[in-house]
Amino acid sequence: MYNIFQLFKIRGFGDYISDTFQFVKFQGKNYFKNYLKFAFVPILLLMICMSVIGTFYYRVLTSTFGFTGGETIDNSFITQNAVMLVIGIIALLVASLYLGLVNYSYPVYYMHLLGKNAEEKPQLRSIKSLFKEDFSRLLAFGILSFLVFFIIGLIATAISIALMFIIIGIFVFMLVIPFFITWYSLTLFFYIDKKQSFFDAFKHAFYTITNNFWSVVGASLCMLIIVQVVSSIVTMIPYMITMFGLIFGLEQGGGMESIDGSSISIYLVLMVLVYCLSILVSTILSHLLLIQTGLVYYSEREKLEYKTVRESIDAIGRNE
């Protein structure tokens, strides 16, 4: 039986957190399955680019420290591989930008479809269609948001650091991060779902947060802590296993002199895999924050539009 999740609902601090996990419980399987299908290409491209760049620096590292049987790094190696390195960096930037657009816009489209018909699971083809229609607007949003939020973020960070000399500065800094994360993604909800201009969406998102500051920012801070703790646990375990393996190998083998190129290659591959796992886990877990922001958006719409109340009245009218 398909469980219906109520998007349009006035929420408070506790509701934002509990309803986020309730959303994952009811919609998580379909949500993340479609997301991984949608984001598979940019994630794969990101991993390939990281491997190319990592291979370059691996060669530099092993040659510099003499782990390649006496071979040392020279200018010819850098010259011969400079083009591949530049291509890898450019492709990495493009893949990161595209993945960012997919990552932030996906929950907007998913919830948009769910809001239109709560009794039907959103389909990937519908999400892709909406994404293609709005692609130029998403690019414009990416450029404008980078410029605007970067400038404001620098100012806010500078003020927070200046206030660090007094106790209140630490508290302010703790609130600045979840405030900006929520502000950014909430701006996209207004920009895409309500088809507002960037600065109108920017303004409405700001007012939505400030009018419910402690409940919205407090819930975002709690969710951010949960995401960071879980992400750290998942990624630190394989990282620590790899590092302990390296240290144990050094002790058994007699120190740095026992390391050869093949040993470095194995540990490098393991570290790249751990790093890739870290990116994947962090990307997936970040959707808890994005989903919670979506609940803030639909809670604000319920306050303004009384959608649930009107639907209840219409249902009563149809039954009479």
Side-chain angles (χ1 to χ4, degrees), residues 114-183:
L114 190 63
K116 290 175 65 177
N117 186 359
E119 297 181 357
E120 182 179 337
K121 291 183 179 181
Q123 300 298 313
L124 181 58
R125 62 178 179 272
S126 301
I127 296 172
K128 285 184 175 181
S129 177
L130 292 171
F131 181 80
K132 291 177 181 179
E133 290 177 9
D134 288 331
F135 187 72
S136 59
R137 296 190 77 234
L138 286 171
L139 285 177
F141 178 87
I143 296 171
L144 287 172
S145 62
F146 175 78
L147 295 174
V148 173
F149 280 99
F150 180 75
I151 294 172
I152 298 176
L154 280 180
I155 296 172
T157 303
I159 294 173
S160 300
I161 292 175
L163 292 173
M164 283 289 188
F165 294 103
I166 57 178
I167 297 177
I168 193 175
I170 300 174
F171 182 68
V172 170
F173 188 75
M174 288 177 60
L175 295 177
V176 164
I177 296 175
F179 181 88
F180 270 88
I181 291 175
T182 306
W183 191 7

Side-chain angles (χ1 to χ4, degrees), residues 23-199:
F23 179 92
V24 173
K25 178 182 178 181
F26 290 159
Q27 296 286 331
K29 182 178 180 180
N30 185 62
Y31 180 94
F32 288 109
K33 180 186 70 175
N34 287 332
Y35 169 73
L36 290 174
K37 288 180 180 179
F38 192 19
F40 175 76
V41 173
I43 290 176
L44 180 62
L45 183 58
L46 191 68
M47 301 309 175
I48 293 173
C49 295
M50 289 171 52
S51 300
V52 171
I53 297 173
T55 300
F56 179 86
Y57 283 106
Y58 154 72
R59 176 66 183 272
V60 173
L61 177 67
T62 55
S63 299
T64 300
F65 288 96
F67 294 139
T68 56
E71 182 183 358
T72 58
I73 194 72
D74 55 22
N75 291 332
S76 63
F77 171 77
I78 297 177
T79 302
Q80 293 170 5
N81 294 274
V83 175
M84 285 298 297
L85 179 63
V86 172
I87 293 174
I89 293 174
I90 294 174
L92 180 65
L93 293 174
V94 173
S96 299
L97 174 61
Y98 185 76
L99 181 60
L101 294 178
V102 170
N103 202 46
Y104 279 93
S105 64
Y106 177 80
V108 180
Y109 295 127
Y110 190 96
M111 290 185 167
H112 170 78
L113 294 171
L114 190 63
K116 290 175 65 177
N117 186 359
E119 297 181 357
E120 182 179 337
K121 291 183 179 181
Q123 300 298 313
L124 181 58
R125 62 178 179 272
S126 301
I127 296 172
K128 285 184 175 181
S129 177
L130 292 171
F131 181 80
K132 291 177 181 179
E133 290 177 9
D134 288 331
F135 187 72
S136 59
R137 296 190 77 234
L138 286 171
L139 285 177
F141 178 87
I143 296 171
L144 287 172
S145 62
F146 175 78
L147 295 174
V148 173
F149 280 99
F150 180 75
I151 294 172
I152 298 176
L154 280 180
I155 296 172
T157 303
I159 294 173
S160 300
I161 292 175
L163 292 173
M164 283 289 188
F165 294 103
I166 57 178
I167 297 177
I168 193 175
I170 300 174
F171 182 68
V172 170
F173 188 75
M174 288 177 60
L175 295 177
V176 164
I177 296 175
F179 181 88
F180 270 88
I181 291 175
T182 306
W183 191 7
Y184 181 88
S185 52
L186 190 57
T187 299
L188 185 59
F189 269 92
F190 280 104
Y191 180 79
I192 295 298
D193 194 63
K194 299 294 286 184
K195 302 299 181 183
Q196 295 179 348
S197 67
F198 173 81
F199 289 104

Side-chain angles (χ1 to χ4, degrees), residues 86-310:
V86 172
I87 293 174
I89 293 174
I90 294 174
L92 180 65
L93 293 174
V94 173
S96 299
L97 174 61
Y98 185 76
L99 181 60
L101 294 178
V102 170
N103 202 46
Y104 279 93
S105 64
Y106 177 80
V108 180
Y109 295 127
Y110 190 96
M111 290 185 167
H112 170 78
L113 294 171
L114 190 63
K116 290 175 65 177
N117 186 359
E119 297 181 357
E120 182 179 337
K121 291 183 179 181
Q123 300 298 313
L124 181 58
R125 62 178 179 272
S126 301
I127 296 172
K128 285 184 175 181
S129 177
L130 292 171
F131 181 80
K132 291 177 181 179
E133 290 177 9
D134 288 331
F135 187 72
S136 59
R137 296 190 77 234
L138 286 171
L139 285 177
F141 178 87
I143 296 171
L144 287 172
S145 62
F146 175 78
L147 295 174
V148 173
F149 280 99
F150 180 75
I151 294 172
I152 298 176
L154 280 180
I155 296 172
T157 303
I159 294 173
S160 300
I161 292 175
L163 292 173
M164 283 289 188
F165 294 103
I166 57 178
I167 297 177
I168 193 175
I170 300 174
F171 182 68
V172 170
F173 188 75
M174 288 177 60
L175 295 177
V176 164
I177 296 175
F179 181 88
F180 270 88
I181 291 175
T182 306
W183 191 7
Y184 181 88
S185 52
L186 190 57
T187 299
L188 185 59
F189 269 92
F190 280 104
Y191 180 79
I192 295 298
D193 194 63
K194 299 294 286 184
K195 302 299 181 183
Q196 295 179 348
S197 67
F198 173 81
F199 289 104
D200 283 341
F202 178 82
K203 178 179 65 177
H204 288 160
F206 179 80
Y207 288 148
T208 298
I209 297 172
T210 53
N211 289 338
N212 309 274
F213 183 84
W214 293 112
S215 60
V216 173
V217 177
S220 296
L221 177 60
C222 291
M223 189 60 68
L224 182 62
I225 292 172
I226 293 172
V227 168
Q228 290 300 319
V229 170
V230 175
S231 179
S232 298
I233 292 174
V234 172
T235 57
M236 282 301 293
I237 291 176
Y239 176 78
M240 294 301 295
I241 292 174
T242 303
M243 292 307 298
F244 279 129
L246 176 60
I247 295 171
F248 183 76
L250 289 175
E251 291 178 349
Q252 294 295 316
M256 294 293 292
E257 293 80 7
S258 62
I259 301 180
D260 56 16
S262 60
S263 299
I264 291 293
S265 300
I266 293 172
Y267 285 113
L268 179 68
V269 170
L270 291 175
M271 292 303 295
V272 169
L273 291 176
V274 170
Y275 187 63
C276 291
L277 175 65
S278 174
I279 291 177
L280 183 61
V281 170
S282 298
T283 300
I284 292 175
L285 289 177
S286 68
H287 279 260
L288 292 177
L289 278 165
L290 298 175
I291 291 169
Q292 187 179 80
T293 303
L295 298 183
V296 173
Y297 169 76
Y298 283 96
S299 178
E300 182 66 13
R301 282 190 59 183
E302 176 62 22
K303 290 179 184 178
L304 299 175
E305 302 174 10
Y306 302 103
K307 183 177 177 65
T308 303
V309 175
R310 288 191 287 105

